[in-house]
Amino acid sequence: MPYDPDNAQQPGSPLRLLPWETWDGRPCYLAPAGDGNGYLSRRADRMEEQQMRNAAVAYTDAETTLRNAAAGPLLLRLMLNRTTTALGNTLRIADSRLGRLPAPTDNAPDDEGPNLPTSR
């Protein structure tokens, strides 16, 4: 699934980005009702879990392939293809989860660092 970083969800989004696309490659969204634990939400959760497991396996296999001095161009290309697919799925999951975070409040500080006293 291609990932489009230019159209990332914002925290507090009322829609959930699903881990699959329409037949013509457009993203699918779900407007969850109630507690957000309906059939499609649970199915999306299971698919995301599988995609994360696949990404972990692709990462391990890529490390092994890169350490193999005898790996030829075809194997490296196949591994790169598999790894980029896994990375795209992982970024899509992160984007979906970002949209499910609560929206930031206006009184939250802009930076995450500690408040240090200034010296004059």
Side-chain angles (χ1 to χ4, degrees):
M1 289 179 216
Y3 174 71
D4 184 6
D6 295 330
N7 292 315
Q9 284 195 297
Q10 298 300 312
S13 172
L15 301 176
R16 176 182 178 170
L17 176 63
L18 296 172
W20 54 80
E21 297 175 334
T22 63
W23 61 272
D24 59 348
R26 292 181 298 149
C28 289
Y29 294 92
L30 173 66
D35 62 357
N37 197 24
Y39 172 76
L40 279 179
S41 291
R42 291 191 314 271
R43 183 175 172 130
D45 289 342
R46 286 191 305 272
M47 187 169 182
E48 287 177 351
E49 289 171 15
Q50 184 61 49
Q51 288 174 334
M52 293 300 289
R53 283 192 294 274
N54 292 346
V57 170
Y59 175 78
T60 303
D61 289 349
E63 283 187 322
T64 302
T65 302
L66 289 174
R67 284 193 299 270
N68 181 359
L74 179 60
L75 180 59
L76 291 171
R77 185 172 177 80
L78 290 172
M79 188 52 56
L80 182 60
N81 186 14
R82 183 174 171 205
T83 304
T84 55
T85 298
L87 178 60
N89 288 339
T90 303
L91 289 171
R92 185 183 190 95
I93 292 166
D95 189 14
S96 176
R97 292 182 181 178
L98 174 66
R100 288 182 268 158
L101 291 174
T105 60
D106 288 338
N107 59 4
D110 289 338
D111 61 343
E112 297 286 329
N115 293 331
L116 300 175
T118 57
S119 59
R120 292 184 191 217

